[in-house]
Structures are given as structure tokens and as C-alpha cells.
Amino acid sequence: MDPLEHPREEFRKIVEQVAHGLGLGETPEVEKTARFGYFSAKFHKYRVHPAKLREVVEAVGDLRYLDKLSVDGLYLNADLNAERLAEAVFKAVSQMSTRYGYTDQCRVGSFLVEHTSANPVHPLHIGHGRNAILGDSLVRLLKFCNNKVEVHFYIDDCGVQVMYAAIGLDAVREEAAMWRSKPDLVIGDIYTAVNAIAEINKLKSELSKTVDEARQREIIAEMDEWVSVLNRIERDFVNKLVETLGRENLVEKAAELNKRYEMGDVEVRESVRRVVELVLRGQRETLARLGVEIDFWDYESEITVWSSEASRYVRKLVDKWPQYVEHKGGAVVFRADKFAEDFKLTDVLNLPKFIPPVTLMRSDGTTLYVTRDVAYALWQWRRGFDRVVRVISTEQTHEQAHVRIILYALGYEEAARKIVHYAYEMVKLPGAKMSARRGQYISLDEILDEASERSASLIKEKNPEVAGVIAEKVAVGAVRYAYLSTSPKKPIEFKWDTVLNMRQNSGPFLQYTYVRAYSILEKSPKYDFVVPNQMLPEERELLVKVAEWPSTVREAVLSLRPDYVAEYLDGLALLFNSYYEKAPVLKADEPTRSFRLALVNSVKTVLESGFYILGIPILTKM
RNA sequence: GGGCCCGUAGCUCAGCCCGGAUAGAGCGGCGGCCUUCUAAGCCGUAGGUCGUGGGUUCAAAUCCCAUCGGGCCCGCCA
């Protein structure tokens, strides 16, 4: 039920009638206008005379859902009939309750959504936060609209980086009992340390072979950098790691382990699985804190490597398109660039205009990330959903294009078109890119803790008895909203002030607004849905905003933009707070009192569904 | 060098797809409002060559071209 449906339809018919009356071959579109009523249509491009337009408009009969039909220059404007609108809103809200906002048009199909998919060697950091929250809100939005959704997290438990973590953990496992921190935080440090040691070892051996002085200085500077990475890690085990691994050629060792791993060596599998599980335990905990739910945890190793899916399709590709395959020293390279050009795939698959060739097999016979990703994409597609949405940062634009091209080349043309790369821009630290390898990141837990503390100190002044329970929920609201209040297409420079913002345009601001509405209704749970014949301008405005909820949801789901919901809710909250200050509800006389209660209830209902979509916890006290 | 994305108030951003009526919010400034439904709030006020140049059009923040600035990518990394 969409309260704006009837008025929109009425206006559309009027425009149609007017267009016909003017002898136009087509009907102008119905548009929204902020200052000249509510709906508008423009006739400029038809070169009609304003007087003629006015004449035709005068012939229009009585209005039912609209009000004040008027002509202004070549604009045809109409306002909403507030009383009718109020009736429609109240009816929809009382019948649908927190389902209000749903319309059949926002039911668009079934979706497999893959998001977050962080490497299992370090904790989730503020970059993954964007992915997780964007993905999760998208899932919630789709679910709110009754679409079938399955949520997947791809565990990238293959490749050299996992070997590094495993090597490190194996070296310091005896110290494991001493761990007091979350396991993912510990492994993250181990991973960074092993990386640093590997780099230092590599540079050392390069230095011993270098005679060029300038190059020597470069190497030393680089080594210093990695040493300082090591020094920044405040863990007892760093010394032990250096002692154990300081003389080894870790690059070679990791490559060797990786090869054994892909071939299914039991010992290596166990050691990798051990480290991966520890990290996942921590990552799951963080996601749970944020209210993010995952249905399936997909192990890359099992789905793509040990099942032989990856090598199987590579063989198929080589057989099918030998003219696009090059063999370079045993490595297999697919000329995705030439293939895309020859088959004119740029528009069909929505590809960038530049595509590099892609290596699918190393000369040692092991797979690469993209190799496995194609196999995984295929696996996802075979689960039988209308669309597969992969929430992955824009960094991977080319890699994701490769996946689509290869699927197409393999004959999975529909899959290639229906697997979408849902790209979002990066989260940067001020002045630097985040890098788990360099231990340069802020973990999600950290910002949640900090937000929680800040919120606790705010609550202590007002409601000390509930501070503990509320602080964390406020923190989640703040962090989730902070991510959603920026378009996914814009890079974010991480700033504590934004995440910890608890004033307007923030999660806590929305939560606070809800608390206000809730506490009014709590004091007077019974009322009738009455529509007065006089309304305050603020009441009208608020009513219109509430009526726009279903169209907002629709737009958000059609364009897959949960951030539209965040923007809408902020606007709704601003209107409501303004109204709250101006118009007393409980102290008003009947029937105004009942009307206001019904209005407040509508706002509260919309906030509840909106909170569900954005994953903002609902609070009744703050 | 090539590709993708982004340049709108001091700051963060919406609007651009689908061109039209005085370009919208919030933060921060400044000035106000708590014996009255929770002040994490509200009211008022100042603040803008919509990066720049050209083109299309009766009409451009919006479309096209060029140019400048920022981010990311162009690996036998993931």
C-alpha cells in the first residue's frame, strides 16, 4: 500500500487529459516539486501557449486525492489533499504495521549476496566495515521487500598470505595459552610480523648481492620501514618469530607450502585450517556485534581447488579457445582483452574500456585468486538465483571484469550478465592507504569500543541505570549510519569525528528521535485514527514524508542503494523533532490529540522498518 | 601512458541517470530556547563563480567535448 499511489495516478490522468486536450502526441512525465505543491508536469518542450494550457486545465473536473491544481507558466502543478492523504497513511500503517513501506513493485527477484569476504589472516578493519554494512543493509532491504536472499561470505583460505599466517602460528603456538585478546587480533599481528620478517629476509639477501650504492641505500631504507613495522607490534611473540624465522627464505617456503596445500597435503591443510578458524572466530564476533548475519561460509579451498573445479574449467577454456590462450614458461594466460574486443563484450558485460590479459595458472601449476574466483562465481550462479550480487571494492574492477569475460567465454553467458560487481569506494586513513600486511589499519572492534565509550559517557549524565546496555547499541547505530551516510561511490577518509558523531545526521540522532516518539505513545497507548479538517503546516509536511516511505524503499531497492534509506530517515527525523518541539501531543484537546498520536505512531512505525533495513538497534530509552 | 569513479557552502554530503521555476541538508561559526510529551533536541542567522573552459538547447549543477585536481586499478598479489 502506497498512500501516494492514488494521488499520483490522479495527477497522471489529468496530465494525460491535458496533453490530449492540447493535441500532443505524448504525455509529459509526472515529477515531484518541492515548492509548488507536490506533483508537477512541464509542457515547455511542446511549445504550447500558456493561455491555451490554462484553458485546457480549467476543463479538468473535480479533484479527489489532489488539491489546488494550478498552472504556472508552462508548469502544471497540484498539491496533495492532506485529509485524504492522512486517511491513506493511517490506513496503510494500521493495516501493515512494520511492513508499511512494502509494495509489490519492490519485489524484484531472488538474490545471492556475497559480502565482506575478508581475508582470514587478520581482523575486520574499517574498510571491511563499509563492505559489511553496505552488504548487510542491502540484504535487509531486499528481505524487507520479500525478496528471497541468501548471504554468503567467501573465505579466501588459499594463496601465499594464508601460508604466512600459518607459518607464524605454527612457530608460536606454545604461547597460545597466554592469549587474552580476540584471536583475529592476535593472528593479524602474527601475519603482519611474518610478512615483515619475510620482506626483511628478502631484502637482506638482495643487499648482499647488490654492488650499486644507490640501490643499497634504497634497500636499507626499505628494510628500516619493515623493521619499524615489526617494532610497532606489541606482542611477546615477536622476538620468538624473529628467532625462528629470521634466517629462512619465507617466500620460497610459502610457495612450497602453497603447492602442497593445493595438492591436498593433510599436514598443511590442518595447519592452515587452524589459523583460519581462529581468525574466523574473531571476525564472526565482530560481525555479530554489528548485527550482520551470514547464511553460508564458503571455503575457497574446498569449492574451487580441492574439488578441481578451477583446473577443470581452465582446461575447458584452453580447449575451447586455444587462439586466446598463451603459455608463458608453463603459466597459462588468457587474452581476456582480445576476447572482449573480438566479441564486443564491453556493453553486454558492462566492462571498462581497458582490460589486461589474465594469468590463470602459475608455472608451478597452482591457481591464482582470479582463477579460483571464476570457479566460485560459477558455483554461486549454479545455486539458482536471479542475480548474484558481489559486494567488492572498486580496486577489483579489472579482476571482476575478468570473471565475467571468462564465464562468457566458457558459455555461461547469462551468468556473465547477471553476476554483478557491486562496487564501493575505499576507506582511507588520513594520508595513507590501509594495509594489513604492514599492520596499518584500524580494526572495527576498535571503533565500536570507542563509540561505545563515548555513548556511555553521554548516557551516564541522564540515565545511569541503563548506560551499560544502551551504549553498545548506540555505538552500533552510530557506526552503521556513519558508513551509510556517504554514497558508496565516494572514497571515505576515515575520521573519528564522523564515526563518533552522535548529533544530527547520525544513528544516535535517529535512535533518539525514536525514543521521543516511543515515550509519547507509551503514555497513551489508545487512540483513534482521526483526521481533522485543519492541520498545522508541520503536520502536513510530516504526513507527506511518511507517505513517501514506500516510494523511497522502492527506489532504494531498484537501484540497490540502502543509503537512500539513511538519507530519508534523517529527513524524517528532522521534521519530527521540529514538530515535537512545536506541537504538544498528550496535552492537546481531542480530536487533535488522537490525530497527533496517530501521526506520531506512523513516524515511529516507519522508523522501526527503517532501522531494520539499516541495522540500527531500536532503543526505548536513551 | 591507459581505464573506472569522484570534484556542489570553511568541512561532510544530497541533487546529475530522465535538462527547466529562488541549488538542498548536516557539521562547524554566530545569537537564542530546559519548573511544559527525554536538550543525543529545537529556533534564528551568516555562508555557494555547482573545479575550469567550450559546445548542444528557448533553458545546463544535470547532456557532449576538452582541461585541471583527488581516489583506485593496469602482478605467475589477493
Side-chain angles (χ1 to χ4, degrees), chain A residues 169-226:
Chain A
L169 179 62
D170 286 344
V172 295
R173 224 178 348 138
E174 288 86 61
E175 283 82 354
M178 314 267 292
W179 296 356
R180 295 233 169 75
S181 332
K182 271 180 79 208
D184 51 334
L185 301 177
V186 180
I187 304 288
D189 285 339
I190 292 179
Y191 171 67
T192 301
V194 176
N195 249 299
I197 295 167
E199 289 295 329
I200 292 167
N201 294 355
K202 198 164 71 183
L203 291 164
K204 258 189 206 160
S205 97
E206 197 190 337
L207 186 64
S208 65
K209 292 175 206 146
T210 307
V211 281
D212 180 57
E213 271 187 38
R215 178 63 196 144
Q216 284 183 346
R217 276 196 297 276
E218 261 175 48
I219 294 174
I220 290 169
E222 232 177 291
M223 275 172 66
D224 281 349
E225 237 179 84
W226 283 108

Side-chain angles (χ1 to χ4, degrees), chain A residues 126 133 290 427-428 442-452 454-455 474-486 492-503 505-508:
Chain A
I126 52 178
I133 286 157
L290 281 168
V427 180
K428 281 186 0 139
I442 300 174
S443 73
L444 267 178
D445 288 310
E446 234 173 297
I447 62 170
L448 282 168
D449 290 345
E450 195 70 35
S452 195
R454 176 172 296 202
S455 127
V474 172
V476 171
V479 170
R480 289 193 67 126
Y481 187 92
Y483 278 112
L484 289 166
S485 58
T486 303
I492 295 179
E493 178 150 325
F494 179 81
K495 288 195 182 100
W496 281 103
D497 284 353
T498 311
V499 180
L500 299 181
N501 175 28
M502 307 206 166
R503 306 180 80 89
N505 196 8
S506 79

Side-chain angles (χ1 to χ4, degrees), chain A residues 49-64:
Chain A
H49 199 274
K52 177 75 180 158
L53 176 63
R54 240 172 288 133
E55 191 191 311
V56 176
V57 170
E58 263 160 39
V60 173
D62 286 345
L63 303 171
R64 185 173 164 79

Side-chain angles (χ1 to χ4, degrees), chain A residues 319-586:
Chain A
D319 287 347
K320 197 170 174 192
W321 302 106
Q323 66 273 43
Y324 292 102
V325 175
E326 291 171 1
H327 298 271
K328 285 188 177 169
V332 178
V333 179
F334 180 63
R335 291 299 302 269
D337 50 337
K338 271 170 69 182
F339 189 89
E341 197 189 321
D342 292 352
F343 289 83
K344 301 190 170 37
L345 298 181
T346 312
D347 293 331
V348 192
L349 299 184
N350 189 23
L351 303 172
K353 288 191 191 93
F354 170 78
I355 302 283
V358 53
T359 305
L360 292 175
M361 284 289 176
R362 290 195 182 93
S363 35
D364 72 354
T366 57
T367 59
L368 286 112
Y369 172 74
V370 60
T371 325
R372 291 171 243 129
D373 198 22
V374 170
Y376 180 51
L378 209 45
W379 181 89
Q380 288 176 321
W381 177 246
R382 287 183 177 135
R383 292 186 71 81
F385 290 82
D386 297 332
R387 282 165 88 185
V388 173
V389 178
R390 327 177 101 198
V391 184
I392 302 172
S393 88
T394 57
E395 278 182 302
Q396 290 199 21
T397 306
H398 285 143
E399 192 271 344
Q400 290 302 313
H402 280 147
V403 171
R404 295 200 295 280
I405 295 169
I406 295 169
L407 287 176
Y408 191 94
L410 286 168
Y412 300 99
E413 293 167 16
E414 198 190 355
R417 273 183 285 111
K418 301 241 172 118
I419 293 179
V420 299
H421 174 200
Y422 188 87
Y424 62 92
E425 275 293 341
M426 312 284 294
V427 180
K428 281 186 0 139
L429 291 171
K433 199 182 162 179
M434 269 186 298
S435 161
R437 285 185 65 221
R438 287 168 199 275
Q440 216 170 70
Y441 54 85
I442 300 174
S443 73
L444 267 178
D445 288 310
E446 234 173 297
I447 62 170
L448 282 168
D449 290 345
E450 195 70 35
S452 195
E453 261 176 53
R454 176 172 296 202
S455 127
S457 70
L458 277 168
I459 302 164
K460 262 181 217 147
E461 297 159 15
K462 295 169 63 178
N463 279 318
E465 67 281 7
V466 289
V469 201
I470 290 171
E472 174 81 1
K473 293 189 170 174
V474 172
V476 171
V479 170
R480 289 193 67 126
Y481 187 92
Y483 278 112
L484 289 166
S485 58
T486 303
S487 152
K489 286 186 170 182
K490 294 203 176 179
I492 295 179
E493 178 150 325
F494 179 81
K495 288 195 182 100
W496 281 103
D497 284 353
T498 311
V499 180
L500 299 181
N501 175 28
M502 307 206 166
R503 306 180 80 89
Q504 276 156 247
N505 196 8
S506 79
F509 171 65
L510 297 182
Q511 289 170 313
Y512 183 70
T513 306
Y514 180 85
V515 167
R516 282 180 143 185
Y518 177 89
S519 90
I520 291 174
L521 292 162
E522 192 190 27
K523 293 178 181 80
S524 183
K526 282 197 177 158
Y527 52 87
D528 296 320
F529 288 88
V530 228
V531 177
N533 25 25
Q534 281 286 307
M535 266 183 225
L536 296 171
E538 287 82 359
E539 284 166 338
R540 248 193 79 96
E541 247 183 312
L542 197 53
L543 203 56
V544 170
K545 192 77 183 172
V546 171
E548 284 173 344
W549 175 232
S551 35
T552 304
V553 170
R554 199 155 52 227
E555 232 173 281
V557 80
L558 289 176
S559 44
L560 302 180
R561 288 288 295 275
D563 51 306
Y564 288 177
V565 172
E567 204 195 331
Y568 167 88
L569 291 181
D570 189 55
L572 177 68
L574 284 168
L575 286 179
F576 179 76
N577 280 311
S578 183
Y579 177 60
Y580 179 93
E581 304 278 341
K582 174 148 189 183
V585 175
L586 298 173

